[in-house]
Every structure is written in structure tokens, then in C-alpha cells.
Amino acid sequence: MDAQVENAIEIAWNPQSDQNLKSQAFEFLNQLRSEPQGWQVCLALATREPRASEVVRHVALEVVNNTIQGRQIDEQGLLFVRNRLMNHIRSYYGDGNSVPQQDPVTIQNKIIQTITYLFVALYANQWQNFFVDFLALASTSSTSGGENYLGTTLYLKILISVHDEIADTIVRRSPEEQQRDNDLKDAVRERDAQKIAQSWQDILLYWKTRDKRIIDQCLSAIGRWASWTDLSLIVKDTLLSLLFELVSSPEAMTQKEGGNNLRDASLNTFMEILAKKTKANDKLDLIEILRVKDVVSQLITSPLLHELRPTSNYDTDLAETVAKLVNNTVFDIINVLETAPAEDSVVLKANIQLKEFLPFVLRFFADEYDEICSSVIPCLTDLLTYFRKKVRADPDYASMLPPILQAIVAKMRYDETSAWGNEDAQTDEAEFQDLRKRLQVLQQAVAAVDEQLYIDTISGIVGASLENFQRQRGQVDWRDIDLAMHEMFLFAELAVKSAGLFSKTKPVSPAAERLIAMMFKLVESDVASFSHPAIQLQYMEICVRYSTFFEANPHLIPRVLENFVRFVHHNHVKVKTRSWYLFHRFIKSLRQQMGDVAQNITQALGDLLPIKAELPDDTSDNDDMSSDENDRSADATFTSQLYLYEAIGCMCGSPAVPVANQVIFIQSVINPLFADLETHLGPARAGDERSALQVHHLIMALGTLARGFSDWTPANTSPSSKPPAEAVSEEFARTAEAILVALESLKSSVEIRTAARFAFSRLIGVLGNRVLPQLIRWIDGLLSRTSSKDEMALFLRLLDQVVYGFKTEIFDILNTILTPFLQRVFSGIAEPISGTDDEIQLSELKLQYLGFLMVILNNDLGSVLVSNVNQPAFETVISTIEHFAKDVTDFPTAKLAFSVLTRMVNSWGGPDLQNTGVVQAAQPSLPGFDRFMMERFSPLCWALPSIPAFNPKDAQGRQVLGEAAGLQRAIYAKTGQEYLTWLREVELRRMGMNDATVDEYLHALCTFDAKRFRQFFQVSLRTGTAQQSMTVMSEWRGEDTCITGRCIAGVGRYLWLRMGPFGPGRVMPHGASGVVKRAAFLQKAALIRQLSFGAGIILQKVHRLLRDAP
């Protein structure tokens, strides 16, 4: 058997083996894993002499490990494994072993894993000398003499593995496993913790000059075990002296390599010991005992972190490790301050330590390497949060804030090695900007603690930098100006809140007042003349962010606009394209003040307006994941160019510009575009791709110009928003005509249709009702035979805006276009779908179609659906709604379908009939509609829940049932007794309801309000559990007998279906008697005779259950 297993493993893991043989080998090994005695064969293979190959031993040990972990071996078997494995270990790892060849690392790890599983299974009762057995292999105590490298390594690795198995907090465990591990840790602490701690000391003393790898493993074990063993065993003078020696040795202090591993391992051990959860006072004592302050101080002043700091030999790894140690220590101190009583002596001690460690925090926070700086940001964040609570109670805390704020501001500055705009430094730039965001949070925390300090510090830095710029006539470091302007930009978080900068021409706050002074200084200093691109971008960002300043100081606008015009012509592509967007934002926010400068600005931008489409370069790297800000593609440039067109539209459309001038400005922009469009239309029709792209860009530009020109929308009655003048609308009517000509010529192109749809949505606001005569052409062009479902859905959304905006004028147009338009929509809905994308687009199209019908009905245009022209399509409309209302796979669409039907009932059903007790005839506005909605609409309420796949417990499904109940209520309100008669004699009778059921249902329909009937209808159709029915019943018992009766029927139905008809000798399941007694109680009460729905059924079933119950 051993040979068969060995041969199967060799075949399975030999890459040159035949595939059929491999399959057979794997199948054989899988059977072996499930064999009860398979582990014995594998154990023999793993420990035999002569040794099998490495792969055979590895697989064999894996089988043994899985068997032990799966608890498939009894206690005797586990002891057998232990004895066999310990004999092997003593032979190979014992002191003075004569085996010439060591186990490979992979086999060592597998053996350690097996030993760890045995520890978990046997340590509590059967292997109490576990650690003593392996400690004997180390042979490092004073009594053992000699050295055993293999045994010591094995012992330390087993300590680490045991910790990882029973004490690693990252691993999730079941409650049973957690309890088992806790018991094991308690047993270890009681029996062996002291021996293990002593062994660490012995190993460090013996091996510190002999082998650094063992020292490293020992430190790792100490760090792990410190979290759950008694610190008094670890924090001893001898052990601490060894740790201090490793950290502060000359080798560790001066050599970047060599002493690095042990030094860092010792520091990590310090951090692990500090992380031990203790009482507040004990934590502070631990910091002192470990001499953390002295360790950090020595390392900071060491050559590696001090003299070499400005050089390339600066040990950043050591700096980051020490920074983490400082961060953890300060975090612990803050935690003590937050939890200790205010007057306690512990607080005084913690404050002293905090003052001692704050310089260390600021030293690493100011480090030029962002990774090191980031290591102490968490503790600094917690410190500022604590200061916010306590700074008023303790003035000493206030004295700590200025150096913290100065360090934060200094860290905001670009370092001397940075090169802004360098393509090779984009990653570094992105990381620095991310760091700035984190620093901004710290600044806001300082401002929350001491607002005045923040205001004085930032305004002082900004003022000094701008003053220095003026005094030295621009001969300053761009980094200083960038820092000042960046801080000025961030100052908005405090100065510009919901109220803005001004309130009745006065600053709203001291911060706003200081910001206003900085803005004056910014403009007057002419810092925009500084040649560095970063400063120019910051200048524009600030002007846009604080545009309300210019509203109050319009005399400064021309000066700023001159700078903007210069920047939009910049030769740096990043500044140029970004300035187009910022220029648009600035113009849009100050549109009312643009009257005097519109002409000059429009002329100044003339050379930037010509559009030159460029086809994408197929050789470019399309997988480049660069941000939009750094995107230099032709498409990105054109997108930025569109902002110029919108900005010109904002300026020319300003109320301060006379109408005659508006027309002139529009013509100066659109006429060149018309000529270019005419030039490229012919080649585009002939198939020229670049010409087609040029037409696309021109249409987009015309639409964008219209969007900037007017923010008015049809049906907007606000006095602050007025439609454009007739002369202006006439010019944009020419624009619409030009776009339509292009669309009609190239409507087979999806890109042209997309651009035309974009322009159409923007032209509505400037055309007004002039768009209506063109509507047929827009529909014909935008909804071609090749239009996708997504395009149809988007256009339906646009058409909703047109119907809503022109509801008093659109009837005739809508009456003409509706049938052909709906036919195209029907064709899109009927198209077969393939794939998830098609399903999503179809769902959206259905929703938009129903939404369009709802808009028509809500705006009193419902008669267009049943006009003589559109009557032939009305049946298809109703059929599609009926189909959607029964779609169990799309509840949102079904819900909206019922809403549309309810709106039709309310629109065409006539006035509501009053419930006066006198039979009244329905008065539908459409002849025969009363009968139509009873015969066609009402049955739909039962159609969806009757589908087997319908789940009434689904939240969306219940919403659909609620809409169906609302439809029935609407029909009843319009038809009254006629509908009740229809339900009684036809609809409910067809469903097999008896008289009692019908009476109860009609009673609920007549007497309940909308909310109660919706709940009644949902409960009536639910086939939930007895518990659900009992819950509803308990809520309604005594308030509504009908719903209570329906719930009782649910209980009876549940008992009948779940328990079956109990005959003589059958035993009722445990727990059912309480439900039966509850049902019997309600049956015996007089209510049962009044609860009509299902009364006969429940009486019979409950009676039989009670009769046969034991």
C-alpha cells in the first residue's frame, strides 16, 4: 500500500506524466483522504527511512494534517501520531543528530503545522509536557550545554505557529473554537508561560553573538506572545537590557544594512509589548519601563536619521518604524487622557509624557518622505480631537497648537525636489495631492479647536507671501506662492459657509473679513503675472471659488478677465484646457456683470473657437488610466473647448447686453460653424470619418452655445427666469434648422444622433414654442430604424420635457406625431434581447414609455390617446400596459403600469360617485369606458399574484399589490354599485369564491380607506406562514374583523398544509397546540360567525384539528 501511494503521488505531481495516469492518480489520492486508515499509510511515508522524495512527504503530511484538523482520528491515534513524529524529530532535530541532510523548509513547515494541530488536540490533557519536550531540543539553558541550531529554530517556529493558531486576532473563529483557544491560553499561562519566557532570555543571551536569524525569530515570538501572556514575565531587566542593546548598538545606529533586521525586529517587539491592553496607570508605567522616550531619542539623533537625513543614505525604513512606535505610544497616552478622571494623578503623568513625545511626533510629521509623515498622522488626528474637547479646560494644550499648525502648513508645501507638470512625476504628484487632502483635515481640526489661531496663522502666511512677491517683483520661489494660494483656497472651509462672504454688504464673520482682505491683496499684487503654471491655475481656482467677492467688487472683474483671457491662450496644455473650464465657471457665476465686456471677450476668444476634429490614434495606448485632468487626447481637448462656447453663451445672453448686440454676437459665432458644417456635410455623407466627426463636433458646439445662452425652461413662471427675446430665438431657430439638415443627412450614424439629441435638449430653452413645428423632423431623425433602446429611452425623457413645457400648445402636434412615434417605441420593445445590457436597456425603455404616458395624462392631454387619429393605436397601448402589469420579472415596471391604469381611470372615468346609499350611474367622459375598465383593468389586479412565480413576500411585489388595490379603489369610485355587481356576479365568481368570501371582500372595498384596503388586499393574497398571519391578526383584532378573519384563514391553511389531516392515532407536532388553541378561542368567540372570508374552511379544519389533537 505504501508503494502504491508513493507511486500515485509521484505520477500526480510529475509534469511529464500521462494525463490519463494523472487523473487516475488524483482519483486514488482523493479516495485515500476519505479512507479511515489512510492517514496511517501517509504518516509512515512521511517519517520512514530512507526518506521519500520531498513531494511525497509533503503530500503525505498534508493528508495527516487534514485528518487531525477534521477530528477524524481518535485519541489513541493522535498519541500514535505524536510518538511517531517525535521520534522523527528527535532523530533529525535533536542535539547531536547525525543525519547528514536536513529537512527542506517546506517539510519543516509541514511538520510544524502537524505539531500545532496536535497541540490543539492534546495539550489540555494528554500532552502537558508539550513545550518542555521541544525546549529540550533547543539545548540553550545553562544546564544543557552545547548548542542545537535546528532544535532551537524548530522550537521558536512552533511557538510562533501556536500563537497564530490560538491567539491571532485577525483570524475569525466560531464561538466554540474561541472558547477552546481561550482554555488553551489559560492552560499555557498556568503551566508553561514562565518557562517559555525564561527560554527567550536564554536564547537571546546564547545566540546574540552566534546567529542573528535565531535572534530575529526569538524577537518575533516575544512580540506575538506579548499580547496574551503576563507582561511581568517579559518586562524583566535582563530581557529589556538585551532589547535595548539590540536597538542602540553602534552597528544598529550607524549601518543601514547589517544591523537593520535585528534593530527593526526589536522595535517591532517594543510596539507589540506596548500594544498589550492594560490599565491606564500601568500603560504609562510600561512606557517608562520600556524607556521608549530614550530609545526614540537615541535613534532620532543617530547618524542614520540625523546626519544622513539630507542624503540618499537616509534610512527611511528605520524612520518609518520609529515613527510607528511614536504614533502607537502617543495614541496610548491620549487613550489614557480620555479615560482617566480629570483630577487623577494619572492625567498629570500622561500630560508630562505627551509633552515629551510631541516633538517626536512633529519631527516625523515634518519628514520629507510622505510615508514617514503618514505614519504619525493617526495619532495627531486623535490628539487634535482630544484638544477640541479639553483645550478650554487646560491652557497647556493651547500652547501645543501653534507648532502643530505650523508643521501642518509647512508640510503642505512642495518639497525642493518636486518638479510640477513633469510627465514622469505624475504618480508622485497624485500622492502629494492625496497627502494634502489628509493635511487639510488636520487643519480643519486645528480651526475647530482655536479658530482665531487658524485665521491669524493662515492670513499671515498669505499676506507675507504676496507682500514678498510684490517687494521682490516676482523673484520668489514658486513653492512659497503656491503654498500661500493653496491655503487661501482652503480658507473657504471656514470663511465661506452657507451664507457666503457678505450679508448686506458686510462680511458675515471675522474669517470672511480676513478672506476679503486677502482677495484684495491677491488682485492688487498681480500674482497672476507669475510665470509658473501652478500659480496661474491656483489663481483661477481661487477667483472661481470666491466669485461672490467680485459680485461685491465689480470694478475688479475686467482686470481678472484680462488674466483669464491670457491663460486661455496659454502654451501649456494643462493650463490652457483647465482654464477653459474655469473661465466658463467664472463667467457663469458673474453673468449679470458681463454686459460691458461681452464684446471684447468674445472677440478675444475668436481664435480659440474654430473646431478641428481629429480621429483617435489607433496606435495610442488605450489602456492608459490617466485622470481627466491629465488627459491630453483630442477628444478631451474638444470637451474642454465646449466650455468656451458655453461661456460665450453666458456672456452674450446676459440681461445687461442689448438684444441687438446679442443677435450680433450669436451670428459671429454660429455663422462660421454653419459654413464649416456645410463644407463637411457632403464628405461625411460620402463616408469620410473625419468629416463625420467634424459634423458631430459642430452640432455639439451649437447645442452648448444654446445651453449657455439661456437657463429658462418652458413652463417656468419664475420672474427671475425669462425666455430669450424673439430675435434671439429666431437665430437659434436657424441653428436648429442647420442641425436638422445634418441629422436628416446622417441619421444612420449613432454619433450624429447622439450629438443632435444633446443639442435638441439644449435648444428647447432658447427656441420656446418654435421647437414644436420641427418636432416631427426631430423624431424622424433621432428615432431611426437603427436606434437602440437606450436612444429611444433618452428621447422619451426629452419628450417628457417638451410635453410638460408646452402642454397648452402641443396638442395638435402631439396628435399628429403620436401614432408613428409610438409604433417606433413598440418596435423597440418587441425586439429580441441578447445579453444583460439589452435587458437593462429594455427595462429602462419600458419605464420611460410608461412615464411618457403618465406625463400625457397628468398634463390633461389624455384625449390625444383616444383621438380619431390615434384610436387605432390605443388598443396596442392598452395591451402593452396589460402585459407590463403582469410581468413578474420586472416589479418596477409592473407598479408603474398599474399607476398609468389608475391615472386613466381618474382621467376618463368621470366624477367620483358619492356614497349616499342611492344607486348612481357612472358618468365616464369616454362613452363605454366604465365597462371597459371593469372588463379590462380590474382582472389585472388578480393576474399578477396568480402567476406561480410571484412572491407576495417580496417588498417590491407588495408595492405592486398596493398599486393594484389602488386601481380597484379608483374603479369603484367611478362606477359604484355597478362595479360591486360586476365583482359579485362575474369576476370573483369566476375565481371560485363563495358568497361569504365575496361579501367580505366587497365590504372591505366599500368601507375601507385607501391605506386599509391596500393592507387588506395584500394580506388576502399572501400565502405566508402562520406566524405572519398571527402577527397581522394581533394588530387588527378588535379593529377590523375582515382582516382578522383573513389571517385566521391563513393560520388554518398553514396548519392544514404543514401538519396534514390528523387522523386517529396521529400525534400533533410539538408546538402546534398553542396555535390551535388560539384559533379555537377565536372560533368559539362570536367573531367567527361574522368573519366571512374562509369561515367554512377554517371552521371545518380547526374543528378537525381540535377533535384529533391529543
Side-chain angles (χ1 to χ4, degrees), residues 80-346:
F80 176 78
V81 175
R82 180 198 68 176
N83 296 333
R84 183 72 176 262
L85 205 57
M86 286 302 297
N87 291 334
H88 173 80
I89 290 173
R90 290 189 182 99
S91 300
Y92 281 82
Y93 299 89
D95 189 20
N97 74 83
S98 58
V99 179
Q101 185 178 1
Q102 299 178 6
D103 281 335
V105 175
T106 56
I107 301 302
Q108 291 182 33
N109 292 338
K110 274 298 169 186
I111 291 174
I112 291 170
Q113 186 180 28
T114 310
I115 293 295
T116 303
Y117 290 154
L118 289 172
F119 166 83
V120 172
L122 298 175
Y123 179 74
N125 299 309
Q126 298 297 328
W127 199 359
Q128 298 182 7
N129 292 328
F130 176 88
F131 293 104
V132 175
D133 290 345
F134 288 101
L135 183 56
L137 295 175
S139 301
T140 58
S141 66
S142 58
T143 60
S144 63
E147 65 179 60
N148 181 7
Y149 175 85
L150 291 179
T152 304
T153 301
L154 181 69
Y155 169 67
L156 293 173
K157 286 183 177 180
I158 287 174
L159 290 181
I160 294 172
S161 180
V162 166
H163 163 84
D164 293 343
E165 181 66 24
I166 68 173
D168 192 341
T169 56
I170 298 177
V171 179
R172 297 186 63 180
R173 298 174 173 86
S174 66
E176 296 78 12
E177 291 174 335
Q178 188 63 56
Q179 183 59 49
R180 178 205 66 190
D181 294 344
N182 291 339
D183 293 341
L184 286 172
K185 287 187 286 186
D186 290 340
V188 171
R189 282 190 284 257
E190 181 180 350
R191 299 174 190 167
D192 297 306
Q194 189 169 357
K195 301 187 194 74
I196 293 171
Q198 182 62 43
S199 73
W200 293 332
Q201 179 178 313
D202 295 340
I203 290 172
L204 290 175
L205 284 171
Y206 186 85
W207 291 97
K208 68 178 182 179
T209 58
R210 290 176 170 83
D211 195 288
K212 294 178 180 179
R213 290 172 295 178
I214 288 183
I215 300 299
D216 187 45
Q217 290 176 354
C218 186
L219 292 174
S220 178
I222 295 172
R224 282 173 162 85
W225 280 60
S227 62
W228 57 280
T229 52
D230 188 354
L231 279 181
S232 63
L233 300 175
I234 300 175
V235 184
K236 290 184 175 181
D237 291 340
T238 304
L239 186 57
L240 291 180
S241 298
L242 290 170
L243 289 176
F244 295 143
E245 182 181 342
L246 292 172
V247 170
S248 58
S249 66
E251 183 184 41
M253 290 289 181
T254 58
Q255 295 184 14
K256 189 174 180 180
E257 303 293 340
N260 189 17
N261 292 337
L262 293 185
R263 179 196 60 215
D264 291 350
S266 301
L267 290 174
N268 288 329
T269 303
F270 271 109
M271 286 189 280
E272 293 291 347
I273 295 173
L274 275 174
K276 172 79 171 180
K277 293 182 180 180
T278 61
K279 296 179 180 179
N281 193 41
D282 293 341
K283 177 66 71 173
L284 299 179
D285 291 341
L286 182 62
I287 294 173
E288 290 184 350
I289 293 172
L290 292 177
R291 294 161 45 192
V292 179
K293 176 193 169 188
D294 296 337
V295 170
V296 172
S297 180
Q298 289 179 13
L299 289 171
I300 286 178
T301 57
S302 67
L304 290 175
L305 299 188
H306 185 64
E307 286 88 348
L308 299 179
R309 184 176 177 183
T311 70
S312 59
N313 291 324
Y314 179 50
D315 195 339
T316 55
D317 292 336
L318 174 61
E320 188 172 355
T321 302
V322 179
K324 290 177 180 178
L325 176 61
V326 171
N327 178 79
N328 294 351
T329 305
V330 173
F331 178 81
D332 288 334
I333 295 172
I334 296 170
N335 188 49
V336 170
L337 288 170
E338 288 180 333
T339 55
E343 304 300 328
D344 197 281
S345 59
V346 175

Side-chain angles (χ1 to χ4, degrees), residues 538-554:
Q538 286 275 25
Y539 176 85
M540 290 185 288
E541 297 279 3
I542 291 172
C543 290
V544 170
R545 187 164 206 181
Y546 304 127
S547 59
T548 53
F549 167 79
F550 296 102
E551 291 179 7
N553 299 278

Side-chain angles (χ1 to χ4, degrees), residues 961-963 965 1009-1019:
L961 293 181
E963 292 296 328
D1009 60 21
K1011 180 180 179 181
R1012 290 181 66 191
F1013 182 72
R1014 185 184 305 114
Q1015 292 175 325
F1016 168 80
F1017 186 72
Q1018 291 170 340
V1019 171

Side-chain angles (χ1 to χ4, degrees), residues 13-48:
W13 268 266
N14 186 349
Q16 298 179 352
S17 298
D18 181 75
Q19 290 300 320
N20 292 329
L21 286 176
K22 269 193 172 188
S23 300
Q24 295 176 21
F26 277 118
E27 184 178 355
F28 173 77
L29 292 174
N30 289 332
Q31 292 176 355
L32 178 69
R33 294 175 190 273
S34 60
E35 286 290 332
Q37 306 303 320
W39 62 270
Q40 296 179 358
V41 178
C42 292
L43 179 64
L45 273 177
T47 58
R48 79 174 189 192

Side-chain angles (χ1 to χ4, degrees), residues 555-720:
H555 64 283
L556 298 176
I557 293 177
R559 186 173 182 178
V560 175
L561 282 175
E562 288 180 7
N563 293 322
F564 267 99
V565 170
R566 181 161 51 86
F567 295 148
V568 298
H569 291 87
H570 206 283
N571 55 6
H572 194 292
V573 63
K574 184 175 181 180
V575 177
K576 184 177 182 179
T577 54
R578 179 64 178 171
S579 67
W580 291 350
Y581 167 73
L582 295 173
F583 175 70
H584 152 256
R585 288 275 309 277
F586 188 73
I587 294 296
K588 189 173 183 178
S589 59
L590 298 171
R591 184 177 184 179
Q592 303 296 327
Q593 286 79 25
M594 291 293 117
D596 297 335
V597 297
Q599 181 175 359
N600 293 335
I601 298 297
T602 302
Q603 292 174 351
L605 299 179
D607 61 318
L608 298 174
L609 298 181
I611 294 174
K612 296 179 181 179
E614 297 180 19
L615 292 173
D617 185 4
D618 295 335
T619 62
S620 63
D621 185 4
N622 294 326
D623 294 331
D624 183 16
M625 300 299 290
S626 60
S627 65
D628 292 340
E629 187 175 337
N630 295 319
D631 194 351
R632 309 292 172 78
S633 65
D635 187 59
T637 302
F638 168 69
T639 301
S640 298
Q641 190 178 17
L642 290 178
Y643 289 119
L644 292 178
Y645 280 91
E646 188 169 353
I648 290 175
C650 288
M651 282 191 300
C652 297
S654 171
V657 178
V659 174
N661 289 349
Q662 290 183 9
V663 173
I664 293 173
F665 296 156
I666 295 172
Q667 290 175 347
S668 68
V669 176
I670 65 175
N671 286 341
L673 298 180
F674 288 168
D676 200 7
L677 189 63
E678 184 178 2
T679 301
H680 288 87
L681 204 54
R685 278 197 298 262
D688 184 74
E689 291 185 18
R690 203 202 72 81
S691 295
L693 185 60
Q694 181 76 7
V695 171
H696 168 274
H697 286 9
L698 293 170
I699 294 174
M700 295 282 288
L702 291 169
T704 304
L705 177 69
R707 176 170 62 180
F709 203 92
S710 175
D711 56 3
W712 173 81
T713 56
N716 187 346
T717 58
S718 173
S720 60

Side-chain angles (χ1 to χ4, degrees), residues 379-424:
C379 76
L380 199 55
T381 303
D382 288 345
L383 180 61
L384 291 173
T385 303
Y386 175 73
F387 282 172
R388 187 173 183 178
K389 304 173 186 175
K390 302 291 185 179
V391 70
R392 295 180 181 176
D394 192 339
D396 288 345
Y397 294 149
S399 64
M400 299 182 190
L401 282 174
I404 293 176
L405 180 57
Q406 290 169 5
I408 296 171
V409 173
K411 193 62 186 175
M412 287 275 194
R413 185 180 184 272
Y414 278 95
D415 60 50
E416 300 298 331
T417 61
S418 58
W420 188 94
N422 190 337
E423 292 289 343
D424 297 332

